Structure formats: structure tokens, C-alpha cells
Amino acid sequence: MKKFIRLAKQYRETYYSRRLLRNLDAHALKDIDLSRADALHEAKRPFWDNKAHQVTAAKKRPHLIYSAVSLLLIMGVGLTIFLRF
């Protein structure tokens, strides 16, 4: 259920960002280095077509590894202190 809610939030964010992108003026588009055609092309894409969702899923793996390594280090330090006494 949590995965579904997270996905729905991502879809909503993508939908609103593309609506905002479609309504940007020429000066704002120039600031982000996009042409009107590029902005309209991106805005026409469906909300579920978002490569960022795949990137966020791929980024979770290193965090899990860092957490596991940190846990092992903490356990090792704790065990070392425990065995000294």
C-alpha cells in the first residue's frame, strides 16, 4: 500500500510539474535553457512516463548498503568494548 501511495504522489508531482512547464513564459524557459518546443514536448508526455521514478528506485540500493555497513561497524565497536570488560 505504501508503494502505491508513493507512486501516486510521484505521478501527481509529475503531472503538476509538466502543467507548470507548459505555462512558463519565454524568460523563464531561457533561464532553464529550454526552447518553447522542448517545453511543450515534455509537457505533452503522460504523467506515468517519467524516467525519474526509475532513478529514485536505483538510488535506494546504495543507502541500504551504507546502512548495513554502518550497522556492522557499530556492532563491531560495541562487541569490542563489551569483550574488553
Side-chain angles (χ1 to χ4, degrees):
M1 186 67 171
K2 289 180 184 180
K3 185 177 180 180
F4 174 76
I5 292 171
R6 185 173 4 113
L7 189 61
K9 287 180 181 179
Q10 288 174 342
Y11 284 165
R12 185 185 65 199
E13 181 181 324
T14 302
Y15 173 76
Y16 285 118
S17 339
R18 289 187 177 153
R19 275 185 48 192
L20 290 171
L21 183 63
R22 183 182 60 213
N23 296 327
L24 288 177
D25 62 350
H27 181 25
L29 287 172
K30 185 178 178 183
D31 283 347
I32 60 174
D33 198 30
L34 276 180
S35 68
R36 171 63 59 193
D38 291 338
L40 291 176
H41 176 71
E42 180 67 24
K44 287 180 181 177
R45 289 176 51 202
F47 63 87
W48 62 84
D49 183 17
N50 188 353
K51 303 298 180 203
H53 301 315
Q54 296 168 357
V55 173
T56 55
K59 284 184 179 180
K60 289 184 181 181
R61 192 167 292 132
H63 295 299
L64 179 64
I65 293 170
Y66 293 137
S67 298
V69 169
S70 299
L71 180 63
L72 287 173
L73 288 173
I74 291 170
M75 287 174 52
V77 169
L79 189 60
T80 303
I81 292 171
F82 177 75
L83 292 176
R84 282 189 165 193
F85 293 111

